[in-house]
């Protein structure tokens, strides 16, 4: 590979009107943090073992899982050797060492250990968390079943208390109750946190979490009374062993129920929690993290597509002139530049969401549940919005790279396959949006009654008769006012429909269900209250419905969005460079920093396993016999 930088990329970087390094420092919170991040990324780049893997798509499923395990255990050992203590250092190392290969221990660190910490009693946490952190106990979060994922209250796995033996008896009473999907259950973990319906003294008290040993700590064999297996290949997550698990009257000690919020006493008495939804805390935490995941996925795809668009020359923009950089086509800019803006918006939304989560979850830990509904609504809405919009955007990035975008060598299919699952896991997006919609509906009616509302939703009470003051300058204030107006009006419209349904005599659940489509649109508008002009132009109908904008203002906005494309054009490459993703993290022949795309594609293709032999065995086994047979045939058409 040559080490020159593509001349078009060189020109793009030299004509940028700002220093990308300053923006990188803003993104990563200062020059020292940037320097440290790069140091750690370079340690990975120099690491022979970590650089010894071929791209994941060159391995079969067994190989991908085996590599994922090897890689992650190597990473754990290296982190110990390097003595990285700060979470940022460890995260930077992990992300560089496994940029697209998901970890078979992801749920152990991401849900199992944090849930033991947050949902166990102090004694339980003291006993189990060190075992989890030292990987003596390797666990996952097993909630979803064949028949239920969304409707947790409908889960069928039972945990029945036996006061004689001071044990819970776990059982999968029906086919649909078999645990199905939990990550790392099939081959990796030896423990699970199992969500099950708790029965004691003949009464069901709803779903609770239980710590269950599923494999022997001696030889990893499956514990008697359990059936465990892999669910099979999926759209992505190939290195992750999502599994199924069936309980057959499987006994665990009473003290294996996580009892921080709810308890079962020795005599079988049930002590209920302050709020039944405290058990759902792990899911809220992961939804908050998924907002950052959506930013990382969309920004990486945007880096690849924008750099490639600067390098790719195709067709004549000026008749007889040289072939144009595709980034100079207005249509290509209209595809990609809004995604660049969206990536930055998601970064800010993710950071804001994490700060709100940190504050409210610490209040909840201290017993103050006042803001729990707001946290739930925000986490549901942003998780759904950012993954939906992010995945749509990643697909636009892929298609904007033409044929090469469809190749794994572009890096984009892996980004998409890994993040698109997030539209489903940790709460199916529509269902999550409806949770937020429920919160908006209740808040709207509280606002109508003159009650005070939390700051984030006070816009619901604005005067909807006001028209826009937007002028040629498209001021920030006028844009925020437009988004607030649109969302407030759409929430009011959905709530009025819900009310009208009730007035017609519908029971409240029907009145709700028959207004959920406008509520989803209103909730998306609520979440969209993040970034500007493009969003208005793309959703103009919703902004115009009550004449909020006049014709002149609509023309201003249409002109503005095209003018913004021209404003961004000279800085597009610098704006993606600022995300500072090194090549080995992007894993993309199209998004390389040096722009040497064709050489990289050619080298990558030559390493494809199918090229290990010049003539494939199928020629000898099938093609040659077919040709020989047809060459003897009298029937000329068979020869064709
Ligand atoms: C690297 C990637 C790894 C991938 C990891 C993936 C891991 C997983 O997928 S684990 C499994 C994830 N599963 C889910 O997220 C299931 C989603 N379903 C749910 O959360 C619930 O069933 C839900 C919320 C949809 C409905 O629950 P349900 O009990 O019917 O509640 P519902 O009747 O709608 O509401 C009851 C009240 O509880 C509130 N509530 C519900 N959930 C929560 C919560 N988590 N926190 C606070 N309040 C809540 C509602 O807002 C409502 O409040 P109000 O009455 O004031 O309006
Ligand atoms: C990659 C991946 C990893 C996963 N990892 C785990 C894991 O580690 N542990 C675990 O426990 N689970 C895991 N899951 C399961 C995941 O959490 C569930 O699939 C998810 O919660 C969705 O539930 P469901 O499959 O029942 O979908 P369903 O709810 O059956 O969705 C089907 C359709 O029904 C609609 N629907 C459902 N309820 C309503 C409603 N009330 N109103 C309107 N529409 C509705 C949905 O919008 C959707 O369109 C994973 C899933 C995936 C894809």
């Amino acid at each position: 590979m040559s080490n020159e930088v593509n001349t078009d990329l060189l020109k793009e970087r030299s004509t940028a009107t700002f220093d990308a390094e300053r923006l990188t420092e803003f993104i990563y919170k200062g020059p020292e943090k940037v320097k440290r991040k790069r140091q750690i990324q370079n340690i990975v780049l120099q690491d022979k073992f970590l650089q010894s893997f071929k791209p994941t798509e060159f391995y079969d499923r067994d190989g991908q899982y085996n590599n994922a395990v090897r890689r992650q255990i190597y990473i754990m050992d290296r982190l110990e050797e390097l003595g990285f203590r700060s979470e940022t250092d460890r995260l930077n190392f992990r992300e560089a060492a496994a940029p697209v290969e998901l970890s078979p221990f992801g749920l152990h660190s991401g849900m199992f250990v944090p849930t033991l910490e947050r949902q166990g009693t102090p004694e339980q946490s003291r006993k189990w968390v060190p075992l989890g952190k030292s990987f003596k106990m390797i666990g996952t979060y097993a909630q979803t079943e064949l028949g239920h994922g969304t409707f947790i209250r409908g889960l069928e796995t039972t945990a029945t208390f036996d006061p004689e033996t001071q044990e819970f008896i776990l059982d999968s009473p029906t086919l649909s109750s078999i645990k199905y999907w939990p990550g790392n259950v099939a081959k990796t973990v030896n423990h699970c946190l199992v969500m099950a319906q708790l029965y004691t003294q003949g009464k069901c008290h709803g779903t609770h979490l239980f710590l269950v040993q599923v494999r022997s700590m001696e030889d990893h064999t499956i514990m008697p009374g359990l059936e465990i297996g892999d669910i099979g290949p999926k759209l992505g997550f190939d290195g992750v062993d999502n599994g199924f698990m069936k309980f057959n009257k499987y006994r665990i000690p009473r003290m294996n129920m996580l009892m921080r919020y709810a308890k079962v006493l020795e005599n079988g008495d049930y002590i209920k929690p302050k709020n039944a939804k405290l058990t759902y805390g792990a899911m809220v935490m992961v939804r908050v993290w998924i907002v950052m995941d959506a930013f990382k996925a969309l920004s990486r795809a945007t880096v690849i597509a924008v750099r490639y668009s600067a390098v790719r020359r195709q067709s004549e923009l000026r008749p007889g002139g040289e072939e144009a950089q595709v980034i100079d086509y207005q249509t290509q800019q209209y595809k990609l530049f809004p995604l660049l803006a969206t990536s930055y918006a998601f970064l800010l939304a993710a950071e804001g969401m994490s700060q709100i989560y940190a504050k409210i979850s610490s209040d909840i830990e201290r017993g103050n549940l006042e803001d729990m509904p707001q946290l739930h609504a925000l986490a549901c809405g942003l998780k759904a919005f950012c993954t939906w919009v992010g995945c749509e955007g990643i697909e636009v990035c892929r298609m904007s790279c033409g044929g090469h975008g469809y190749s794994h060598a572009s890096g984009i299919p892996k980004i998409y396959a890994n993040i698109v699952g997030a539209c489903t896991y940790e709460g199916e997006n529509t269902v999550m949006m409806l949770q937020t919609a429920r919160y908006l509906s209740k808040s709207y009616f509280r606002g109508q009654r003159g009650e005070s509302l939390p700051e984030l939703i006070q816009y619901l009470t604005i005067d909807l008769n006001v028209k826009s003051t937007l002028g040629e300058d498209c001021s920030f204030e006028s844009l925020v006012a437009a988004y607030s107006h649109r969302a407030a009006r759409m929430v009011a419209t959905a709530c009025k429909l819900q009310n009208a349904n009730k007035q017609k005599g519908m029971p409240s659940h029907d009145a709700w269900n028959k207004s959920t489509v406008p509520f989803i649109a209103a909730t998306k508008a609520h979440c969209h209250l993040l970034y500007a002009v493009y969003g208005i132009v793309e959703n103009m109908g919703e902004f115009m419905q009550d004449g909020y904008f006049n014709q002149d203002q609509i023309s201003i906005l249409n002109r503005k969005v095209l003018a913004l494309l021209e404003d961004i054009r000279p800085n597009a490459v610098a704006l993606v460079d600022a995300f500072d993703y090194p090549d080995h993290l992007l894993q993309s022949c199209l998004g390389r920093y040096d722009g040497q795309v064709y050489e990289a594609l050619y080298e990558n293709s030559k390493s494809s396993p199918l090229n290990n032999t010049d003539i494939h065995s199928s020629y000898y086994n099938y093609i040659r016999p077919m040709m020989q047979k047809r060459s003897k045939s009298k029937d000329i058409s068979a020869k064709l």
Side-chain angles (χ1 to χ4, degrees):
M1 285 290 295
S2 69
N3 51 16
E4 281 145 44
V5 179
N6 169 281
T7 48
D8 284 326
L9 270 185
L10 276 175
K11 176 171 68 63
E12 296 292 335
R13 288 170 178 141
S14 64
T15 51
T17 62
F18 77 100
D19 178 356
E21 188 66 12
R22 297 289 77 73
L23 184 51
T24 300
E25 290 167 2
F26 166 77
I27 292 171
Y28 293 101
K29 310 277 182 289
E32 284 315 305
K33 297 257 176 62
V34 172
K35 191 168 156 236
R36 179 67 177 159
K37 174 178 79 76
R38 289 172 179 165
Q39 274 170 350
I40 291 172
Q41 285 166 343
N42 276 326
I43 292 172
V44 170
L45 197 54
Q46 309 305 327
D47 187 301
K48 287 193 173 42
F49 174 78
L50 289 172
Q51 300 308 319
S52 67
F53 291 89
K54 290 184 287 186
T56 46
E57 57 276 3
F58 286 171
Y59 298 94
D60 63 14
R61 178 108 195 282
D62 192 71
Q64 289 189 10
Y65 173 68
N66 190 59
N67 284 343
V69 174
R70 287 171 71 212
R71 181 194 293 264
Q72 288 301 326
I73 289 171
Y74 180 84
I75 288 170
M76 285 180 217
D77 294 344
R78 280 297 284 140
L79 282 171
E80 288 313 307
E81 288 160 18
L82 292 162
F84 289 167
R85 291 285 164 261
S86 96
E87 266 319 299
T88 307
D89 283 356
R90 297 172 73 84
L91 180 65
N92 281 331
F93 187 86
R94 287 186 180 288
E95 283 198 339
V100 291
E101 299 77 6
L102 295 171
S103 166
F105 306 105
L107 277 137
H108 171 81
S109 315
M111 287 192 89
F112 181 74
V113 175
T115 305
L116 290 174
E117 283 176 313
R118 290 174 168 79
Q119 308 262 345
T121 63
E123 296 73 28
Q124 289 176 323
S125 296
R126 272 197 297 277
K127 177 180 169 191
W128 292 326
V129 170
L131 294 174
K133 287 192 169 173
S134 61
F135 279 86
K136 290 192 180 68
M137 196 189 268
I138 304 175
T140 188
Y141 185 89
Q143 175 173 293
T144 303
E145 299 169 355
L146 262 175
H148 290 91
T150 288
F151 190 50
I152 301 172
R153 285 186 289 134
L155 291 172
E156 298 173 84
T157 302
T158 56
T160 308
F161 182 61
D162 178 353
E164 294 301 309
T165 62
Q166 292 293 295
E167 292 171 319
F168 283 102
I169 304 162
L170 267 80
D171 198 41
S172 306
T174 60
L175 173 67
S176 53
S177 69
I178 293 173
K179 289 299 177 189
Y180 197 91
W181 272 107
N184 318 137
V185 118
K187 300 295 171 190
T188 312
V189 303
N190 50 40
H191 283 77
C192 285
L193 282 172
V194 175
M195 190 72 97
Q197 299 288 357
L198 180 140
Y199 284 82
T200 178
Q201 296 169 347
K203 192 167 177 300
C204 179
H205 294 280
T207 52
H208 292 71
L209 281 168
F210 299 84
L211 177 65
V212 184
Q213 181 177 347
V214 297
R215 285 181 179 269
S216 153
M217 301 298 276
E218 273 65 54
D219 60 8
H220 211 53
T221 47
I222 296 171
M223 300 298 280
L226 291 183
E227 183 193 346
I228 292 176
D230 176 63
I231 65 169
K234 308 173 290 281
L235 188 153
F237 275 56
D238 294 319
V240 176
D241 52 320
N242 298 82
F244 63 81
M245 178 163 58
K246 188 174 185 298
F247 299 98
N248 184 8
K249 306 277 185 253
Y250 186 75
R251 288 176 173 267
I252 62 172
R254 175 177 73 90
M255 284 315 293
N256 275 37
M257 170 184 162
L258 297 196
M259 292 205 199
R260 176 166 188 169
Y261 297 115
K263 295 179 180 12
V264 169
L265 306 180
E266 286 180 1
N267 65 358
D269 285 356
Y270 174 72
I271 312 297
K272 65 183 208 173
K274 244 172 123 180
N275 180 316
K277 303 305 179 189
L278 285 163
T279 319
Y280 290 8
M283 292 178 276
V284 178
M285 174 185 66
V286 177
R287 289 167 192 156
V288 168
W289 293 347
I290 289 173
V291 179
M292 185 58 84
D293 291 345
F295 155 68
K296 289 177 183 173
L298 179 61
S299 55
R300 290 179 190 187
T302 306
V303 171
I304 293 167
V306 167
R307 282 183 181 160
Y308 180 63
S309 299
V311 169
R312 180 71 167 179
R313 284 184 173 273
Q314 198 69 200
S315 317
E316 292 176 348
L317 195 55
R318 291 170 195 80
E322 63 172 346
E323 286 198 77
Q325 291 170 277
V326 296
I327 200 170
D328 282 331
Y329 293 111
Q330 189 182 62
T331 49
Q332 190 82 352
Q333 295 171 12
Y334 196 68
K335 288 176 195 171
L336 295 180
F337 293 175
L339 298 179
L340 192 46
T342 305
S343 297
Y344 278 98
F346 280 11
L347 172 63
L348 300 174
E351 291 185 342
M353 180 75 251
S354 301
Q355 287 155 19
I356 291 170
Y357 175 75
K359 182 201 175 295
I360 297 178
S361 57
S362 62
D363 291 347
I364 292 169
E365 301 252 324
R366 287 195 302 275
N368 171 6
L369 308 188
E370 186 190 356
D371 289 335
M372 194 165 142
Q374 185 184 202
L375 174 64
H376 171 55
L378 195 56
C380 286
L382 272 185
K383 178 265 184 191
F385 183 84
C386 293
T387 51
W388 260 337
V389 170
C391 291
E392 285 161 14
I394 294 164
E395 186 54 359
V396 168
C397 288
R398 182 188 67 76
M399 287 191 272
S400 73
C401 295
H404 300 330
Y406 190 75
S407 164
H408 270 300
S410 73
I412 298 177
K414 273 178 284 193
I415 294 172
Y416 182 82
N418 282 347
I419 192 66
V420 73
C423 293
T424 306
Y425 61 66
E426 220 58 77
E428 199 282 326
N429 276 2
T430 304
V431 173
M432 293 293 99
M433 274 279 175
L434 289 174
Q435 286 292 302
T436 308
R438 241 180 102 132
Y439 175 75
L440 292 173
S441 166
K442 287 179 174 246
S443 304
Y444 171 80
F445 290 113
R446 282 179 34 218
Q448 294 299 302
R449 293 192 296 269
E451 292 175 34
S452 69
L453 296 177
E455 188 191 350
L456 271 178
I457 51 170
Q458 280 169 2
Y459 75 87
L460 289 176
T461 57
I462 60 175
D463 174 2
L464 292 176
N465 298 312
V466 168
K467 298 302 173 205
S468 171
T469 59
L470 180 120
E472 279 294 343
D473 65 346
C474 287
S475 73
F476 175 75
E477 292 69 22
S478 65
L479 294 175
V480 172
Y483 275 89
S484 304
H485 175 89
R486 168 209 186 197
R489 198 200 64 248
M490 293 175 75
V491 170
T493 304
C495 290
K496 285 171 187 158
L497 175 61
Q498 181 187 12
N499 241 5
N501 290 341
K502 280 184 190 163
Q503 305 304 332
K504 282 183 215 158
M506 275 189 213
S508 59
H509 56 268
D510 281 343
W512 167 253
N513 185 40
K514 295 201 180 308
S515 57
T516 43
V517 168
F519 264 115
I520 289 280
T523 309
K524 283 180 180 173
H526 167 72
C527 296
H528 204 173
L529 253 172
L530 291 166
Y531 51 106
V533 179
Y534 170 78
I536 294 176
V537 171
E538 278 295 288
N539 301 280
M540 186 56 81
E542 294 170 359
F543 285 91
M544 278 174 56
Q545 211 158 355
D546 60 346
Y548 180 69
F549 285 130
N550 60 40
Q551 285 305 326
D552 293 343
Q553 289 169 325
I554 291 160
S555 308
I556 289 170
L557 286 159
N558 284 326
R559 283 199 306 275
K560 184 69 178 176
V561 81
L562 300 183
L564 280 172
L565 297 180
E566 294 190 24
D567 293 349
I568 288 173
R569 171 65 189 88
N571 290 312
V573 170
L575 283 165
V576 298
D577 285 350
F579 288 126
D580 200 44
Y581 294 135
D583 286 351
H584 70 273
L585 194 143
L586 284 177
Q587 296 204 2
S588 169
C589 295
L590 308 189
R592 295 168 56 92
Y593 187 81
D594 65 9
Q596 297 301 344
V597 166
Y598 299 137
E599 285 180 74
L601 277 173
Y602 183 48
E603 288 309 311
N604 177 281
S605 300
K606 284 196 287 187
S607 65
S608 167
L610 213 54
N611 298 325
N612 291 345
T613 55
D614 176 25
I615 301 175
H616 193 270
S617 58
S618 58
Y619 169 76
Y620 302 107
N621 299 334
Y622 313 110
I623 297 172
R624 188 169 61 178
M626 175 273 288
M627 292 172 73
Q628 286 164 345
K629 193 173 112 193
R630 284 170 181 264
S631 65
K632 291 183 193 113
S633 156
K634 296 285 175 278
D635 172 359
I636 183 71
S637 63
K639 285 205 181 92
L640 297 179

